[in-house]
Amino acid sequence: MIFDKHIARQAAKVLLQINAIKLQPNDPFTWASGWKSPIYCDNRIILSFPPIRNYIREEMAKFIESHYGKPDAIAGVATGAIGIGMLVAEYLGLPFIYVRPEAKGHGRQNQIEGFIESGQNVVVVEDLISTGKSSLNAVRALKEANVNVKGMIAIFTYGFNISKENFEKEKIELQTLSNYENLLDEAVATNYITEEQLKTLSQWNANPSEWNAF
């Protein structure tokens, strides 16, 4: 679910402007999974544009405070959400922790980095939701540490059915700044893509693992 329709369109607009999201239906990308995709999202680029990173952190922080109240800490999902998660925590004046994909194999062997006490409340910050697998892996690590996860917020989601199913199964509420539907609306409205390209992008989103660009 998105925070707000207006915010979703504005966020999509700035993500396209700085090429954090690229749409190339005629020259698709290949993801690490092997999927062919007409879209590529790299929200780390946001950190290099101060006005935009400030806009993103403020909208996320305001939503957390209004929707969840102030948690005890903000948790970022490594590595993509460490930067934005820390900015959100700083804006709210809260402690920050981050969660690795797995525990380190040396030293203290931490999976959760930073200080958090058993029973404390956190909101998890993520940069991008695809299937939700890595995001929910972080949630499970927090729960195993006896930390109460109030919900997760992310900058962008592709809106795949599999991700919705995964979050419902884990009973974790997901809220996002923007999503694929609003991205396409903005891309059409600003002539970033044509109506024909819109059809291709919609077809891919309906069945990304089987989509063939040619």
Side-chain angles (χ1 to χ4, degrees):
M1 184 179 293
I2 56 170
F3 299 178
D4 172 90
K5 178 77 174 174
H6 173 73
I7 292 171
R9 286 290 294 269
Q10 180 62 23
K13 180 179 180 179
V14 298
L15 292 173
L16 286 169
Q17 283 176 345
I18 63 171
N19 287 323
I21 292 179
K22 290 186 177 181
L23 298 174
Q24 295 182 187
N26 300 327
D27 184 20
F29 303 93
T30 301
W31 284 2
S33 61
W35 289 5
K36 291 291 184 184
S37 169
I39 178 173
Y40 193 82
C41 182
D42 181 7
N43 286 328
R44 293 174 181 86
I45 291 172
I46 291 166
L47 301 175
S48 299
F49 295 84
I52 291 170
R53 77 179 182 218
N54 288 341
Y55 169 73
I56 299 291
R57 72 159 185 167
E58 287 170 24
E59 292 300 343
M60 294 182 97
K62 288 173 186 173
F63 180 81
I64 288 172
E65 203 159 22
S66 65
H67 192 70
Y68 297 109
K70 270 201 177 181
D72 296 303
I74 297 296
V77 181
T79 59
I82 291 177
I84 194 66
M86 190 165 63
L87 288 169
V88 169
E90 176 67 18
Y91 187 86
L92 291 169
L94 292 173
F96 176 72
I97 61 173
Y98 70 87
V99 188
R100 298 175 178 273
E102 56 188 25
K104 286 194 299 185
H106 59 280
R108 296 171 62 192
Q109 300 183 330
N110 291 339
Q111 184 170 3
I112 300 170
E113 298 287 3
F115 178 77
I116 190 79
E117 292 183 320
S118 174
Q120 286 193 308
N121 296 318
V122 302
V123 172
V124 181
V125 172
E126 181 62 291
D127 69 322
L128 174 67
I129 305 293
S130 52
T131 65
K133 184 178 175 183
S134 59
S135 307
L136 291 168
N137 180 57
V139 168
R140 282 189 286 273
L142 290 163
K143 286 183 174 180
E144 285 166 13
N146 223 10
V147 174
N148 178 35
V149 178
K150 298 189 78 174
M152 180 180 293
I153 66 169
I155 297 171
F156 186 79
T157 178
Y158 293 116
F160 298 146
N161 287 331
I162 185 67
S163 69
K164 294 172 187 172
E165 290 166 11
N166 286 337
F167 275 89
E168 284 171 8
K169 190 196 234 174
E170 293 289 332
K171 296 185 170 131
I172 293 295
E173 181 186 57
L174 172 67
Q175 300 276 350
T176 65
L177 201 63
S178 193
N179 61 6
Y180 196 73
E181 178 186 352
N182 281 281
L183 175 76
L184 294 189
D185 287 347
E186 182 62 26
V188 169
T190 56
N191 296 316
Y192 189 97
I193 58 171
T194 65
E195 289 289 345
E196 191 59 37
Q197 288 173 324
L198 173 64
K199 289 180 190 175
T200 300
L201 287 155
S202 300
Q203 288 167 355
W204 169 79
N205 189 251
N207 192 8
S209 63
E210 300 296 324
W211 182 75
N212 192 330
F214 307 104

